[in-house]
Amino acid sequence: MVEIEARERVFDPLGTVPDLPFGHLNTAWQDFLVQCEEGAEFRRFAADWDAGWCRERREGYVEMVDGQPGRFFMTLCRTLPEE
């Protein structure tokens, strides 16, 4: 988790975003961690998602428990341009 928080630390030279992991989403990240099982492993994910009416790029972290995905924390959800 230390590596994740170091990688996701926000640096904003203007100081409008908190200098914390995930910036403005830090409170949501902390809430996510409280809900996860102790000692859980976290994996980063990134996938294009076809919702039928639009395509999206989704990125974030998923909690792995006994090798199975559990809760997730979404860091990006962006609509992709039509092909």
Side-chain angles (χ1 to χ4, degrees):
M1 177 162 20
V2 174
E3 297 87 13
I4 292 171
E5 291 184 341
R7 179 176 44 244
E8 298 294 348
R9 189 166 208 98
V10 174
F11 172 73
D12 178 8
L14 299 177
T16 58
V17 178
D19 183 22
L20 297 167
F22 301 100
H24 292 296
L25 294 176
N26 184 265
T27 300
W29 171 250
Q30 296 301 322
D31 292 344
F32 168 72
L33 293 177
V34 167
Q35 296 175 25
C36 292
E37 291 192 27
E38 189 173 330
E41 175 187 350
F42 298 96
R43 293 192 188 158
R44 192 173 185 182
F45 70 85
D48 292 341
W49 178 267
D50 187 350
W53 62 89
C54 72
R55 290 183 20 168
E56 298 174 335
R57 176 69 174 180
R58 296 182 178 187
E59 297 179 10
Y61 294 90
V62 63
E63 170 194 33
M64 300 298 291
V65 180
D66 297 325
Q68 298 297 314
R71 293 174 180 83
F72 64 91
F73 183 77
M74 189 106 51
T75 59
L76 174 83
C77 185
R78 176 179 31 203
T79 301
L80 297 174
E82 294 183 26
E83 295 178 345

Coordinates of all heavy atoms in Angstrom, one line a residue:
M1 N 0.8 -1.2 0.0 CA 0.0 0.0 0.0 C 0.9 1.3 0.0 O 0.5 2.3 -0.6 CB -0.9 0.0 1.2 CG -1.7 1.2 1.3 SD -3.2 1.2 2.3 CE -2.9 -0.1 3.4
V2 N 2.0 1.2 0.6 CA 2.9 2.3 0.6 C 3.3 2.7 -0.8 O 3.4 3.9 -1.1 CB 4.2 2.0 1.5 CG1 5.2 3.1 1.4 CG2 3.8 1.8 2.9
E3 N 3.5 1.7 -1.6 CA 3.9 2.0 -3.0 C 2.8 2.6 -3.8 O 3.0 3.5 -4.6 CB 4.3 0.7 -3.7 CG 5.5 0.0 -3.2 CD 5.2 -0.9 -2.0 OE1 4.0 -1.3 -1.8 OE2 6.1 -1.3 -1.3
I4 N 1.5 2.2 -3.5 CA 0.4 2.8 -4.2 C 0.2 4.2 -3.8 O 0.1 5.1 -4.7 CB -0.9 2.0 -3.8 CG1 -0.9 0.6 -4.4 CG2 -2.2 2.8 -4.3 CD1 -2.0 -0.3 -4.0
E5 N 0.3 4.5 -2.5 CA 0.1 5.9 -2.1 C 1.3 6.8 -2.5 O 1.0 8.0 -2.8 CB 0.0 5.9 -0.5 CG -1.4 5.3 -0.1 CD -1.7 5.4 1.3 OE1 -0.7 5.6 2.1 OE2 -2.8 5.2 1.7
A6 N 2.5 6.3 -2.7 CA 3.6 7.1 -3.2 C 3.3 7.4 -4.7 O 3.5 8.5 -5.1 CB 4.9 6.3 -3.0
R7 N 2.9 6.4 -5.4 CA 2.6 6.5 -6.9 C 1.5 7.5 -7.1 O 1.5 8.2 -8.1 CB 2.4 5.2 -7.5 CG 2.1 5.3 -9.0 CD 1.9 3.9 -9.7 NE 1.0 3.0 -8.9 CZ 1.5 1.8 -8.4 NH1 2.7 1.4 -8.6 NH2 0.6 1.0 -7.8
E8 N 0.5 7.5 -6.3 CA -0.7 8.3 -6.5 C -0.7 9.6 -5.7 O -1.7 10.3 -5.7 CB -2.0 7.5 -6.0 CG -2.2 6.2 -6.8 CD -2.5 6.4 -8.3 OE1 -2.8 7.6 -8.7 OE2 -2.5 5.4 -9.1
R9 N 0.4 10.0 -5.2 CA 0.5 11.3 -4.5 C 0.4 12.4 -5.6 O 1.0 12.3 -6.6 CB 1.9 11.4 -3.8 CG 1.9 12.6 -2.9 CD 3.1 12.5 -1.9 NE 2.8 13.3 -0.8 CZ 2.3 12.8 0.4 NH1 2.1 11.5 0.5 NH2 2.0 13.5 1.4
V10 N -0.4 13.4 -5.3 CA -0.6 14.4 -6.2 C 0.3 15.6 -5.9 O 0.4 16.1 -4.8 CB -2.1 14.9 -6.1 CG1 -2.3 16.1 -7.0 CG2 -3.0 13.8 -6.5
F11 N 1.0 16.1 -7.0 CA 1.8 17.3 -6.8 C 1.2 18.4 -7.7 O 1.1 18.2 -8.9 CB 3.3 17.0 -7.3 CG 4.1 18.3 -7.3 CD1 4.5 18.9 -6.2 CD2 4.4 18.9 -8.6 CE1 5.2 20.1 -6.2 CE2 5.1 20.0 -8.6 CZ 5.5 20.7 -7.4
D12 N 0.7 19.4 -7.1 CA 0.1 20.5 -7.8 C 0.9 21.8 -7.4 O 0.8 22.3 -6.3 CB -1.3 20.7 -7.3 CG -2.0 21.9 -8.0 OD1 -1.4 22.5 -8.9 OD2 -3.2 22.2 -7.6
P13 N 1.7 22.3 -8.4 CA 2.5 23.5 -8.1 C 1.7 24.7 -7.7 O 2.2 25.6 -7.0 CB 3.3 23.7 -9.4 CG 2.6 23.0 -10.4 CD 1.8 21.9 -9.8
L14 N 0.4 24.7 -8.0 CA -0.4 25.9 -7.6 C -1.1 25.7 -6.2 O -1.7 26.6 -5.7 CB -1.5 26.1 -8.7 CG -1.0 26.4 -10.1 CD1 -2.2 26.6 -11.0 CD2 -0.2 27.7 -10.1
G15 N -1.0 24.5 -5.7 CA -1.5 24.2 -4.4 C -3.0 24.1 -4.2 O -3.5 24.2 -3.1
T16 N -3.7 23.9 -5.4 CA -5.1 23.8 -5.3 C -5.6 22.3 -5.0 O -6.7 22.1 -4.6 CB -5.8 24.2 -6.6 OG1 -5.3 23.4 -7.7 CG2 -5.5 25.7 -6.9
V17 N -4.7 21.4 -5.1 CA -5.0 20.0 -4.8 C -4.1 19.6 -3.6 O -2.9 19.9 -3.6 CB -4.6 19.0 -6.0 CG1 -4.9 17.6 -5.7 CG2 -5.5 19.4 -7.2
P18 N -4.7 18.9 -2.6 CA -4.0 18.5 -1.4 C -2.8 17.6 -1.8 O -2.9 16.8 -2.7 CB -4.9 17.8 -0.6 CG -6.3 18.1 -1.1 CD -6.1 18.5 -2.5
D19 N -1.7 17.8 -1.2 CA -0.5 17.0 -1.4 C -0.6 15.7 -0.6 O 0.1 15.4 0.4 CB 0.8 17.8 -1.0 CG 2.1 17.0 -1.3 OD1 2.1 16.1 -2.1 OD2 3.1 17.3 -0.6
L20 N -1.5 14.9 -1.1 CA -1.9 13.6 -0.5 C -2.1 12.5 -1.5 O -2.3 12.9 -2.7 CB -3.2 13.7 0.3 CG -3.2 14.7 1.5 CD1 -4.7 14.9 1.9 CD2 -2.4 14.2 2.6
P21 N -2.0 11.3 -1.2 CA -2.4 10.2 -2.2 C -3.8 10.5 -2.7 O -4.7 10.7 -1.9 CB -2.2 8.9 -1.4 CG -1.3 9.3 -0.2 CD -1.6 10.7 0.1
F22 N -3.9 10.5 -4.0 CA -5.2 10.7 -4.6 C -5.8 12.1 -4.5 O -6.9 12.3 -4.9 CB -6.2 9.6 -4.2 CG -5.8 8.2 -4.5 CD1 -5.3 7.4 -3.5 CD2 -5.9 7.7 -5.7 CE1 -4.8 6.1 -3.7 CE2 -5.4 6.4 -6.0 CZ -4.9 5.6 -5.0
G23 N -5.0 13.0 -3.9 CA -5.5 14.4 -3.9 C -6.8 14.6 -3.2 O -7.0 14.2 -2.0
H24 N -7.8 15.2 -3.9 CA -9.1 15.4 -3.4 C -9.8 14.1 -3.0 O -10.8 14.1 -2.3 CB -10.0 16.2 -4.3 CG -9.5 17.6 -4.5 ND1 -9.5 18.5 -3.5 CD2 -9.0 18.3 -5.6 CE1 -9.1 19.7 -3.9 NE2 -8.8 19.6 -5.2
L25 N -9.4 13.0 -3.6 CA -10.1 11.7 -3.3 C -9.5 11.0 -2.1 O -9.8 9.8 -1.8 CB -10.0 10.8 -4.6 CG -10.7 11.2 -5.8 CD1 -10.5 10.3 -7.0 CD2 -12.2 11.3 -5.5
N26 N -8.6 11.6 -1.4 CA -7.9 11.0 -0.3 C -8.9 10.5 0.8 O -8.7 9.3 1.3 CB -6.8 11.9 0.4 CG -6.1 11.2 1.4 OD1 -6.4 11.3 2.6 ND2 -5.1 10.4 1.0
T27 N -9.9 11.2 1.1 CA -10.8 10.8 2.1 C -11.6 9.5 1.6 O -11.8 8.6 2.4 CB -11.9 11.9 2.5 OG1 -11.1 13.0 3.0 CG2 -12.9 11.4 3.5
A28 N -12.0 9.5 0.4 CA -12.6 8.3 -0.2 C -11.7 7.1 -0.2 O -12.1 6.0 0.1 CB -13.1 8.6 -1.6
W29 N -10.4 7.3 -0.5 CA -9.4 6.3 -0.4 C -9.3 5.7 1.0 O -9.3 4.5 1.2 CB -8.0 6.8 -0.9 CG -6.9 5.9 -0.7 CD1 -5.8 6.0 0.2 CD2 -6.6 4.6 -1.4 NE1 -5.0 5.0 0.1 CE2 -5.4 4.1 -0.9 CE3 -7.3 3.9 -2.4 CZ2 -4.9 2.9 -1.3 CZ3 -6.8 2.7 -2.8 CH2 -5.6 2.2 -2.3
Q30 N -9.2 6.6 2.0 CA -9.1 6.2 3.4 C -10.4 5.4 3.8 O -10.3 4.3 4.5 CB -8.9 7.4 4.3 CG -7.6 8.1 4.1 CD -6.4 7.2 4.3 OE1 -6.3 6.4 5.1 NE2 -5.4 7.4 3.4
D31 N -11.5 5.8 3.4 CA -12.8 5.1 3.6 C -12.8 3.7 3.0 O -13.2 2.7 3.6 CB -14.0 5.9 3.1 CG -14.3 7.1 3.9 OD1 -13.7 7.3 5.1 OD2 -15.0 8.0 3.4
F32 N -12.3 3.6 1.8 CA -12.1 2.3 1.1 C -11.2 1.4 1.9 O -11.6 0.2 2.1 CB -11.6 2.6 -0.3 CG -11.1 1.4 -1.1 CD1 -12.0 0.5 -1.6 CD2 -9.8 1.1 -1.3 CE1 -11.6 -0.7 -2.3 CE2 -9.3 0.0 -2.0 CZ -10.3 -0.9 -2.4
L33 N -10.1 1.9 2.3 CA -9.2 1.0 3.1 C -9.8 0.5 4.4 O -9.5 -0.7 4.7 CB -7.9 1.8 3.4 CG -7.0 2.2 2.2 CD1 -5.8 3.0 2.6 CD2 -6.6 0.9 1.4
V34 N -10.6 1.3 5.0 CA -11.2 0.9 6.3 C -12.2 -0.3 6.0 O -12.3 -1.2 6.8 CB -12.0 2.1 6.9 CG1 -12.9 1.6 8.0 CG2 -11.0 3.1 7.5
Q35 N -12.8 -0.3 4.8 CA -13.7 -1.4 4.5 C -13.1 -2.7 4.1 O -13.7 -3.7 4.1 CB -14.7 -0.9 3.4 CG -15.6 0.2 3.8 CD -16.4 0.8 2.7 OE1 -16.7 0.0 1.7 NE2 -16.8 2.0 2.7
C36 N -11.8 -2.6 3.6 CA -11.1 -3.8 3.1 C -10.6 -4.6 4.3 O -10.4 -4.2 5.4 CB -9.9 -3.3 2.3 SG -10.4 -2.5 0.7
E37 N -10.4 -5.9 3.9 CA -9.9 -6.9 4.9 C -8.5 -6.6 5.3 O -7.7 -6.2 4.4 CB -10.1 -8.3 4.4 CG -11.5 -8.7 4.2 CD -11.6 -10.2 4.0 OE1 -10.7 -11.0 4.4 OE2 -12.6 -10.6 3.4
E38 N -8.2 -6.8 6.5 CA -6.8 -6.6 7.0 C -5.9 -7.5 6.2 O -6.1 -8.7 6.0 CB -6.7 -6.9 8.5 CG -5.4 -6.5 9.1 CD -5.3 -6.6 10.6 OE1 -6.4 -6.4 11.2 OE2 -4.3 -6.9 11.1
G39 N -4.8 -7.0 5.8 CA -3.8 -7.8 5.0 C -4.1 -8.1 3.6 O -3.5 -8.9 2.9
A40 N -5.2 -7.4 3.1 CA -5.6 -7.7 1.7 C -4.5 -7.2 0.7 O -3.7 -6.2 1.0 CB -6.9 -6.9 1.4
E41 N -4.4 -7.8 -0.4 CA -3.5 -7.4 -1.5 C -4.3 -6.5 -2.4 O -5.5 -6.7 -2.6 CB -3.0 -8.7 -2.2 CG -2.2 -8.4 -3.4 CD -1.9 -9.6 -4.2 OE1 -2.1 -10.7 -3.8 OE2 -1.4 -9.5 -5.4
F42 N -3.7 -5.5 -3.0 CA -4.3 -4.6 -3.9 C -3.6 -4.7 -5.3 O -2.4 -4.8 -5.4 CB -4.3 -3.2 -3.4 CG -5.0 -3.0 -2.1 CD1 -4.3 -3.0 -0.9 CD2 -6.4 -2.8 -2.1 CE1 -5.0 -2.9 0.3 CE2 -7.1 -2.7 -0.9 CZ -6.4 -2.7 0.3
R43 N -4.4 -4.7 -6.3 CA -3.9 -4.8 -7.7 C -4.5 -3.6 -8.5 O -5.7 -3.2 -8.3 CB -4.3 -6.1 -8.4 CG -3.6 -7.2 -7.8 CD -3.7 -8.5 -8.6 NE -3.2 -9.6 -7.9 CZ -3.5 -10.8 -8.2 NH1 -4.3 -11.1 -9.2 NH2 -2.9 -11.8 -7.5
R44 N -3.7 -3.1 -9.3 CA -4.1 -2.0 -10.2 C -4.9 -2.6 -11.4 O -4.5 -3.6 -11.9 CB -2.9 -1.2 -10.7 CG -3.1 0.1 -11.3 CD -1.8 0.8 -11.6 NE -2.1 2.1 -12.1 CZ -1.2 2.9 -12.5 NH1 0.1 2.6 -12.3 NH2 -1.5 4.1 -13.0
F45 N -5.9 -1.9 -11.9 CA -6.6 -2.4 -13.1 C -6.8 -1.2 -14.0 O -6.9 0.0 -13.6 CB -7.9 -3.1 -12.7 CG -9.0 -2.1 -12.2 CD1 -9.8 -1.4 -13.1 CD2 -9.2 -2.0 -10.9 CE1 -10.8 -0.6 -12.6 CE2 -10.2 -1.1 -10.4 CZ -11.0 -0.4 -11.3
A46 N -6.9 -1.5 -15.3 CA -7.3 -0.6 -16.3 C -8.0 -1.4 -17.4 O -7.5 -2.4 -17.9 CB -6.0 0.1 -16.9
A47 N -9.1 -0.9 -17.9 CA -9.9 -1.6 -18.9 C -10.8 -0.6 -19.6 O -11.2 0.4 -19.1 CB -10.7 -2.7 -18.2
D48 N -11.0 -0.9 -20.9 CA -12.0 -0.2 -21.7 C -13.3 -1.0 -21.5 O -13.3 -2.2 -21.5 CB -11.6 -0.2 -23.2 CG -10.4 0.7 -23.4 OD1 -10.0 1.5 -22.5 OD2 -9.7 0.5 -24.4
W49 N -14.3 -0.2 -21.2 CA -15.7 -0.8 -20.9 C -16.7 -0.3 -22.0 O -16.8 0.9 -22.2 CB -16.1 -0.3 -19.5 CG -17.4 -0.7 -19.1 CD1 -18.6 -0.1 -19.2 CD2 -17.7 -1.9 -18.4 NE1 -19.6 -0.8 -18.7 CE2 -19.1 -2.0 -18.1 CE3 -16.9 -3.0 -18.0 CZ2 -19.7 -3.0 -17.5 CZ3 -17.5 -4.1 -17.3 CH2 -18.9 -4.1 -17.1
D50 N -17.4 -1.3 -22.6 CA -18.4 -0.9 -23.5 C -19.8 -1.0 -22.8 O -20.2 -2.1 -22.5 CB -18.3 -1.9 -24.7 CG -19.3 -1.5 -25.8 OD1 -20.1 -0.6 -25.6 OD2 -19.2 -2.1 -26.9
A51 N -20.4 0.1 -22.6 CA -21.7 0.1 -21.9 C -22.8 0.0 -22.8 O -24.0 0.1 -22.4 CB -21.8 1.4 -21.1
G52 N -22.6 -0.2 -24.1 CA -23.6 -0.3 -25.1 C -23.9 1.1 -25.8 O -24.0 1.1 -27.0
W53 N -24.1 2.1 -25.0 CA -24.3 3.4 -25.6 C -23.1 4.3 -25.6 O -23.1 5.4 -26.2 CB -25.5 4.1 -24.8 CG -25.1 4.4 -23.4 CD1 -24.5 5.5 -22.8 CD2 -25.4 3.5 -22.3 NE1 -24.3 5.3 -21.5 CE2 -24.9 4.1 -21.1 CE3 -25.9 2.3 -22.1 CZ2 -24.9 3.5 -19.9 CZ3 -26.0 1.7 -20.9 CH2 -25.5 2.3 -19.8
C54 N -22.1 3.9 -24.9 CA -20.8 4.6 -24.9 C -19.7 3.7 -24.5 O -19.9 2.6 -23.9 CB -20.8 5.9 -24.0 SG -20.8 5.5 -22.3
R55 N -18.5 4.1 -24.8 CA -17.3 3.3 -24.3 C -16.6 4.2 -23.3 O -16.4 5.4 -23.4 CB -16.4 3.0 -25.5 CG -17.0 2.0 -26.4 CD -16.0 1.7 -27.5 NE -14.7 2.1 -27.0 CZ -13.5 1.8 -27.4 NH1 -13.3 1.2 -28.5 NH2 -12.4 2.2 -26.9
E56 N -16.0 3.5 -22.3 CA -15.3 4.2 -21.2 C -14.0 3.6 -20.9 O -13.8 2.4 -21.1 CB -16.2 4.2 -19.9 CG -17.5 4.9 -20.0 CD -18.3 4.8 -18.7 OE1 -18.1 3.8 -18.0 OE2 -19.1 5.6 -18.5
R57 N -13.1 4.4 -20.4 CA -11.8 3.9 -19.9 C -12.0 3.9 -18.4 O -12.3 5.0 -17.8 CB -10.7 4.8 -20.3 CG -9.3 4.4 -19.8 CD -8.9 3.1 -20.4 NE -7.5 2.8 -19.9 CZ -6.8 1.8 -20.3 NH1 -7.4 0.9 -21.1 NH2 -5.6 1.6 -19.8
R58 N -11.7 2.8 -17.7 CA -11.8 2.7 -16.3 C -10.5 2.2 -15.7 O -10.0 1.3 -16.2 CB -13.0 1.8 -15.8 CG -14.3 2.3 -16.3 CD -15.4 1.4 -15.8 NE -16.7 1.9 -16.3 CZ -17.9 1.4 -15.9 NH1 -17.9 0.4 -15.1 NH2 -19.0 2.0 -16.3
E59 N -10.1 2.9 -14.6 CA -8.8 2.6 -13.9 C -9.0 2.7 -12.4 O -9.9 3.4 -12.0 CB -7.7 3.5 -14.4 CG -7.4 3.4 -15.8 CD -6.3 4.3 -16.3 OE1 -5.6 4.9 -15.4 OE2 -6.1 4.5 -17.5
G60 N -8.2 1.9 -11.7 CA -8.3 2.0 -10.3 C -7.6 0.8 -9.6 O -6.6 0.2 -10.2
Y61 N -8.0 0.5 -8.4 CA -7.4 -0.6 -7.6 C -8.5 -1.5 -7.1 O -9.6 -1.1 -6.8 CB -6.6 0.0 -6.4 CG -5.4 0.8 -6.9 CD1 -5.6 2.2 -7.2 CD2 -4.2 0.2 -7.1 CE1 -4.5 2.9 -7.6 CE2 -3.1 1.0 -7.6 CZ -3.3 2.3 -7.8 OH -2.2 3.0 -8.3
V62 N -8.2 -2.8 -7.1 CA -9.1 -3.8 -6.6 C -8.4 -4.5 -5.4 O -7.3 -4.8 -5.4 CB -9.6 -4.7 -7.7 CG1 -8.4 -5.5 -8.3 CG2 -10.7 -5.6 -7.2
E63 N -9.3 -4.8 -4.4 CA -8.8 -5.6 -3.3 C -8.9 -7.1 -3.7 O -9.9 -7.5 -4.2 CB -9.8 -5.3 -2.1 CG -9.6 -6.3 -0.9 CD -10.7 -6.2 0.1 OE1 -11.9 -6.0 -0.3 OE2 -10.5 -6.4 1.2
M64 N -7.8 -7.8 -3.4 CA -7.8 -9.3 -3.7 C -7.9 -10.0 -2.3 O -7.1 -9.8 -1.5 CB -6.6 -9.6 -4.4 CG -6.4 -8.9 -5.8 SD -7.7 -9.3 -7.0 CE -7.4 -11.0 -7.3
V65 N -8.9 -10.9 -2.2 CA -9.0 -11.7 -1.0 C -9.0 -13.2 -1.4 O -9.9 -13.6 -2.2 CB -10.3 -11.3 -0.3 CG1 -10.5 -12.2 1.0 CG2 -10.4 -9.9 0.1
D66 N -8.1 -13.9 -0.9 CA -8.0 -15.3 -1.3 C -8.0 -15.5 -2.8 O -8.6 -16.4 -3.4 CB -9.1 -16.2 -0.7 CG -9.1 -16.1 0.8 OD1 -8.0 -16.1 1.4 OD2 -10.2 -16.1 1.5
G67 N -7.3 -14.6 -3.5 CA -7.1 -14.7 -4.9 C -8.3 -14.3 -5.7 O -8.3 -14.4 -7.0
Q68 N -9.3 -13.8 -5.1 CA -10.6 -13.3 -5.8 C -10.7 -11.8 -5.6 O -10.4 -11.2 -4.6 CB -11.8 -14.0 -5.2 CG -11.8 -15.5 -5.3 CD -11.8 -15.9 -6.8 OE1 -12.6 -15.4 -7.6 NE2 -11.0 -16.8 -7.1
P69 N -11.2 -11.1 -6.7 CA -11.4 -9.7 -6.6 C -12.5 -9.4 -5.6 O -13.5 -10.1 -5.6 CB -11.7 -9.3 -8.0 CG -12.1 -10.5 -8.7 CD -11.5 -11.6 -8.0
G70 N -12.4 -8.3 -4.9 CA -13.4 -7.8 -4.0 C -13.8 -6.4 -4.3 O -14.0 -6.0 -5.4
R71 N -13.7 -5.6 -3.3 CA -14.0 -4.1 -3.4 C -13.0 -3.5 -4.4 O -11.9 -3.9 -4.5 CB -13.9 -3.4 -2.1 CG -15.0 -3.9 -1.1 CD -14.8 -3.3 0.3 NE -15.8 -3.7 1.2 CZ -15.7 -4.8 1.9 NH1 -14.7 -5.6 1.7 NH2 -16.7 -5.1 2.7
F72 N -13.5 -2.4 -5.0 CA -12.6 -1.7 -5.9 C -12.7 -0.2 -5.6 O -13.7 0.3 -5.1 CB -12.9 -2.0 -7.4 CG -14.3 -1.5 -7.8 CD1 -14.5 -0.3 -8.3 CD2 -15.4 -2.4 -7.7 CE1 -15.7 0.1 -8.7 CE2 -16.6 -2.0 -8.1 CZ -16.8 -0.7 -8.6
F73 N -11.7 0.5 -6.0 CA -11.6 2.0 -5.9 C -11.3 2.5 -7.3 O -10.2 2.3 -7.8 CB -10.5 2.4 -4.9 CG -10.4 3.8 -4.6 CD1 -11.3 4.5 -3.8 CD2 -9.3 4.6 -5.2 CE1 -11.2 5.9 -3.6 CE2 -9.2 5.9 -5.0 CZ -10.1 6.6 -4.2
M74 N -12.2 3.2 -7.8 CA -12.0 3.8 -9.2 C -11.3 5.1 -9.1 O -11.7 6.0 -8.4 CB -13.4 3.9 -9.8 CG -13.3 4.3 -11.3 SD -13.8 2.9 -12.4 CE -15.3 2.4 -11.8
T75 N -10.3 5.2 -9.9 CA -9.5 6.5 -10.0 C -9.8 7.3 -11.3 O -9.5 8.4 -11.4 CB -8.0 6.2 -9.9 OG1 -7.6 5.4 -10.9 CG2 -7.7 5.6 -8.5
L76 N -10.3 6.6 -12.3 CA -10.6 7.2 -13.6 C -11.7 6.6 -14.2 O -11.8 5.3 -14.3 CB -9.3 7.1 -14.5 CG -9.6 7.6 -15.9 CD1 -9.4 9.1 -15.9 CD2 -8.6 7.0 -16.9
C77 N -12.7 7.3 -14.7 CA -13.8 6.9 -15.6 C -14.0 8.0 -16.6 O -14.5 9.0 -16.3 CB -15.0 6.6 -14.8 SG -16.3 5.9 -15.7
R78 N -13.5 7.7 -17.8 CA -13.5 8.7 -18.9 C -14.2 8.1 -20.1 O -13.9 7.0 -20.5 CB -12.1 9.1 -19.2 CG -12.0 10.1 -20.4 CD -10.6 10.5 -20.7 NE -9.6 9.5 -20.4 CZ -8.3 9.6 -20.2 NH1 -7.9 10.8 -20.1 NH2 -7.5 8.6 -19.9
T79 N -15.1 8.9 -20.7 CA -15.8 8.5 -22.0 C -14.7 8.5 -23.1 O -14.0 9.5 -23.3 CB -16.9 9.4 -22.3 OG1 -17.9 9.3 -21.2 CG2 -17.7 9.0 -23.6
L80 N -14.7 7.5 -23.9 CA -13.8 7.4 -25.0 C -14.5 7.9 -26.3 O -15.7 7.8 -26.4 CB -13.3 6.0 -25.2 CG -12.5 5.3 -24.1 CD1 -12.3 3.9 -24.4 CD2 -11.2 6.1 -23.9
P81 N -13.7 8.5 -27.2 CA -14.3 9.0 -28.4 C -14.9 7.9 -29.3 O -14.4 6.7 -29.2 CB -13.2 9.7 -29.1 CG -11.9 9.2 -28.5 CD -12.3 8.7 -27.1
E82 N -15.9 8.1 -30.0 CA -16.5 7.1 -30.9 C -15.5 6.8 -32.0 O -14.7 7.7 -32.5 CB -17.8 7.6 -31.5 CG -18.9 7.8 -30.5 CD -20.2 8.2 -31.2 OE1 -20.4 7.9 -32.3 OE2 -21.0 8.9 -30.5
E83 N -15.5 5.6 -32.4 CA -14.6 5.1 -33.5 C -15.0 5.5 -34.8 O -16.2 5.6 -35.1 CB -14.4 3.6 -33.4 CG -13.7 3.2 -32.1 CD -13.5 1.7 -32.0 OE1 -14.2 0.9 -32.8 OE2 -12.8 1.3 -31.1

